[in-house]
Amino acid sequence: RLPEALFLTFPVATAPGTSWQLDKLGSLIDPRKLVGGSTGHLHAVGDGGAKLIDTGSLEGNASLTAVPFDSALVSIGIRSAFPSPLGSLTEEVARGPLYFPLQN
C-alpha cells in the first residue's frame, strides 16, 4: 500500500524529560504507556489536544499545547496516516514532532 496523505507538521524541538500527553475523553494519557496491540502514534484527541510536558523545567511542569481545529487526528513522531506500528512509543519518538493529517 502506498499512503497518500497531506500533513501539517508542528516541529517542536524537545529535550530529554519532555513528552506529549494526549487528551482522550477528558483525561491526559501518556503515549509511552499504552495497552499492548494498540497504535502508539496515531490518536484522536479531544478539546485539550496534545500537551508537551517538561518535567525537568525549573518552574515545575511547563507545557505547550497544540489543539487541532477541524480534525481530531494527530500523529506523534511518525509522519504516517497508517495506524502502525503497534505498541507504545519509545522515549525518543514520544518527544517527536506532531503531524496533523489534513487529507488522506
Side-chain angles (χ1 to χ4, degrees):
R1 301 185 309 183
L2 295 175
E4 268 187 43
L6 178 66
F7 292 91
L8 172 68
T9 302
F10 191 64
V12 177
T14 60
T18 61
S19 70
W20 291 104
Q21 304 289 306
L22 306 170
D23 174 31
K24 304 279 266 185
L25 299 173
S27 297
L28 289 178
I29 64 148
D30 187 340
R32 298 170 298 175
K33 301 174 183 170
L34 297 174
V35 175
S38 62
T39 181
H41 71 93
L42 195 60
H43 297 273
V45 294
D47 293 336
K51 183 177 283 196
L52 184 66
I53 302 211
D54 181 4
T55 56
S57 71
L58 297 176
E59 295 83 28
N61 287 337
S63 67
L64 168 76
T65 304
V67 181
F69 287 115
D70 59 354
S71 171
L73 211 54
V74 63
S75 180
I76 301 173
I78 300 172
R79 189 176 56 190
S80 173
F82 288 127
S84 56
L86 300 179
S88 298
L89 298 180
T90 64
E91 192 73 32
E92 184 177 335
V93 174
R95 293 190 329 257
L98 290 182
Y99 301 101
F100 296 97
L102 301 176
Q103 174 268 326
N104 64 359

